Amino acid sequence: MAEQSQSLRTPATGETPSTPPAGGVSRRALLGTAGATGLALGAAGAGVGYAAAPARATPLSSVGSGRAMFHGKHQPGITESLQARGHLIAFDLAAGAGRTEAAALLRRWSATAARLMAGEPTAHDDTDVARDAGPSSLTITFGFGNTFFARTGLEKQRPSALDPLPDFSSDHLDKARSNGDLWVQIGADDALVAFHALRAIQKDAGSAARVRWQMNGFNRTPGATAHPMTARNLMGQLDGTRNPKPTDADFDQRIFVPSSGEPAWMANGSYAVVRRIRMLLDDWEKLSLAAQENVIGRKKSNGAPLSGGTETTAMDLEKARADGEYVVPVNAHARITRPDQNGGAAILRRPFSYHDGIDADGTPDAGLLFVCWQADPLRGFVPLQRKLDRGDALSQYIRHEASGLFAVPGGAGDGEYVGQRLLEG
């Protein structure tokens, strides 16, 4: 959990998508608008993570026109805005399936992703679930888990950065909902568009792979607020205030594997850490407002640091009260997760909230589907999580229940599929 927000969704032309007539908008009109404007990628944050900057307020009637591009230097779904609906799904290769079957699967998945992200139906037996909708900023992202390489005979190509994450004291991990050979992230600003993509990816898996686990999440819908603002999480906190931008000089260095990096097939890729973090909301909501703010280190109303100012004011870590205690407590989450308190360790954080119902004892099963990106998890997520393990005030109100680490290769060029350099190299 840490500071996170939404990214600026601005068309590549710098123009605002046209507002549809009051009577509605046709799928053709939506696709025409999306194709004309494109998408300029947003930013991501810091602390226990980076995520994107606040999205410009968008009329709900134009949500469908947003379009992300499948082909490019990086895969989609990393630096784009937070999306209203998300699905995370892991697959294991079927018994007997190997490199050949995996290559055919990634070829199918890539072709389907390119079509759906353009607002087109699947090539065969489309379900019509997304009929009448535009692309709705759909993104589909693919990654490989540690076990994928042994199953495909590609052990020599497995990056050392995919070594299993260390154990953390806050872990209560369910192995059945952790890891996996293959990982897919789906996000969109319309729930039906996201579900349509989920079903298409599941069907494309065919006999080559079976679902290991699936998690469903959500964020605030673009246009739901009167003005751009940092998103709130299920604890009611503004989440993502200290997010850096891709324009920062060291952004690519921290988040993406360089084009000259090793292994070569990971050039321009990134590593995703996925954690299902349950929020103990009943305990959290019993705290007074002042106690909640001391846990985080920021005002709940506007995200301003307890040391004073506005949301974007730099936190004064040395400011003390009359009794000598720091105004921002030493174990406050926002203090502990600052990159300048962790040797510069930083991650790009792009999560979804989730709510999976009520347990038998009446407690909500809700929290954060934490997804963070970095060029190397040993320099990003791992040192931050170790620091949090040693005394974060927030730790008693959350529980890490599932975990995964995946190598996400760079984007596919025209005529290529994701992972082609690995599987055909």
Side-chain angles (χ1 to χ4, degrees), residues 95-178:
R99 182 173 176 177
T100 299
E101 291 77 14
L105 174 57
L106 268 297
R107 190 179 295 112
R108 290 196 300 275
W109 274 351
S110 296
T112 294
R115 291 181 63 90
L116 297 184
M117 286 176 56
E120 301 172 2
T122 58
H124 306 286
D125 301 321
D126 190 86
T127 62
D128 284 340
V129 172
R131 180 184 288 274
D132 309 316
S136 301
S137 300
L138 175 68
T139 61
I140 306 176
T141 316
F142 303 104
F144 305 108
N146 181 294
T147 53
F148 176 83
F149 298 85
R151 294 180 186 274
T152 55
L154 292 166
E155 293 97 329
K156 293 183 179 180
Q157 291 296 320
R158 185 180 66 79
S160 59
L162 266 189
D163 288 349
L165 295 173
D167 294 330
F168 301 105
S169 63
S170 58
D171 286 352
H172 296 77
L173 304 182
D174 178 357
K175 292 183 178 180
R177 292 192 294 181
S178 298

Side-chain angles (χ1 to χ4, degrees), residues 87-414:
H87 301 291
L88 308 179
I89 183 168
F91 294 83
D92 286 334
L93 290 172
R99 182 173 176 177
T100 299
E101 291 77 14
L105 174 57
L106 268 297
R107 190 179 295 112
R108 290 196 300 275
W109 274 351
S110 296
T112 294
R115 291 181 63 90
L116 297 184
M117 286 176 56
E120 301 172 2
T122 58
H124 306 286
D125 301 321
D126 190 86
T127 62
D128 284 340
V129 172
R131 180 184 288 274
D132 309 316
S136 301
S137 300
L138 175 68
T139 61
I140 306 176
T141 316
F142 303 104
F144 305 108
N146 181 294
T147 53
F148 176 83
F149 298 85
R151 294 180 186 274
T152 55
L154 292 166
E155 293 97 329
K156 293 183 179 180
Q157 291 296 320
R158 185 180 66 79
S160 59
L162 266 189
D163 288 349
L165 295 173
D167 294 330
F168 301 105
S169 63
S170 58
D171 286 352
H172 296 77
L173 304 182
D174 178 357
K175 292 183 178 180
R177 292 192 294 181
S178 298
N179 301 312
D181 295 342
L182 293 156
W183 175 70
V184 184
Q185 174 190 260
I186 296 169
D189 282 336
D190 178 76
L192 288 179
V193 168
F195 179 81
H196 179 242
L198 175 67
R199 286 294 297 142
I201 291 298
Q202 290 173 329
K203 290 166 65 178
D204 273 353
S207 60
R210 58 178 179 80
V211 174
R212 179 180 177 88
W213 54 258
Q214 179 190 322
M215 301 176 189
N216 310 310
F218 57 90
N219 283 305
R220 176 165 277 163
T221 300
T225 56
H227 56 83
M229 63 178 295
T230 306
R232 292 188 186 273
N233 59 34
L234 298 189
M235 288 178 162
Q237 299 287 152
L238 289 182
D239 196 348
T241 297
R242 287 182 47 82
N243 297 329
K245 300 176 175 61
T247 52
D248 292 346
D250 60 354
F251 183 85
D252 281 0
Q253 177 184 348
R254 288 177 166 183
I255 306 308
F256 293 110
V257 177
S259 57
S260 59
E262 292 293 335
W265 65 268
M266 272 296 290
N268 304 312
S270 189
Y271 292 91
V273 173
V274 181
R275 310 277 280 185
R276 184 182 191 271
I277 304 176
R278 183 163 179 168
M279 295 176 174
L280 307 181
L281 294 178
D282 285 346
D283 294 336
W284 174 257
E285 291 163 3
K286 291 175 183 176
L287 296 178
S288 67
L289 175 61
Q292 290 181 352
E293 291 178 340
N294 280 331
V295 167
I296 301 300
R298 291 184 176 274
K299 291 288 186 181
K300 192 172 184 179
S301 60
N302 61 6
L306 297 184
S307 54
T310 67
E311 182 183 359
T312 57
T313 299
M315 183 176 291
D316 184 352
L317 299 182
E318 301 303 319
K319 187 173 183 178
R321 303 193 304 257
D323 62 3
E325 295 295 325
Y326 286 123
V327 173
V328 179
V330 293
N331 62 349
H333 186 70
R335 176 191 283 267
I336 290 177
T337 58
R338 286 168 56 102
D340 59 5
Q341 300 294 301
N342 295 281
I347 53 181
L348 187 160
R349 177 172 182 281
R350 196 174 180 279
F352 295 94
S353 293
Y354 78 88
H355 179 219
D356 289 342
I358 306 296
D359 285 351
D361 62 0
T363 59
D365 184 1
L368 199 69
L369 301 181
F370 174 89
V371 182
C372 73
W373 302 88
Q374 58 261 288
D376 183 352
L378 289 179
R379 292 187 290 111
F381 173 79
V382 171
L384 285 170
Q385 188 58 35
R386 280 177 171 158
K387 183 75 172 290
L388 291 169
D389 253 13
R390 292 197 293 267
D392 177 23
L394 186 60
S395 62
Q396 63 181 300
Y397 302 103
I398 61 175
R399 185 167 62 226
H400 292 239
E401 296 186 336
S403 179
L405 172 61
F406 303 95
V408 176
D414 290 339

Side-chain angles (χ1 to χ4, degrees), residues 37-56:
T37 61
L39 180 72
L41 299 186
V48 162
Y50 284 28
R56 183 170 55 193

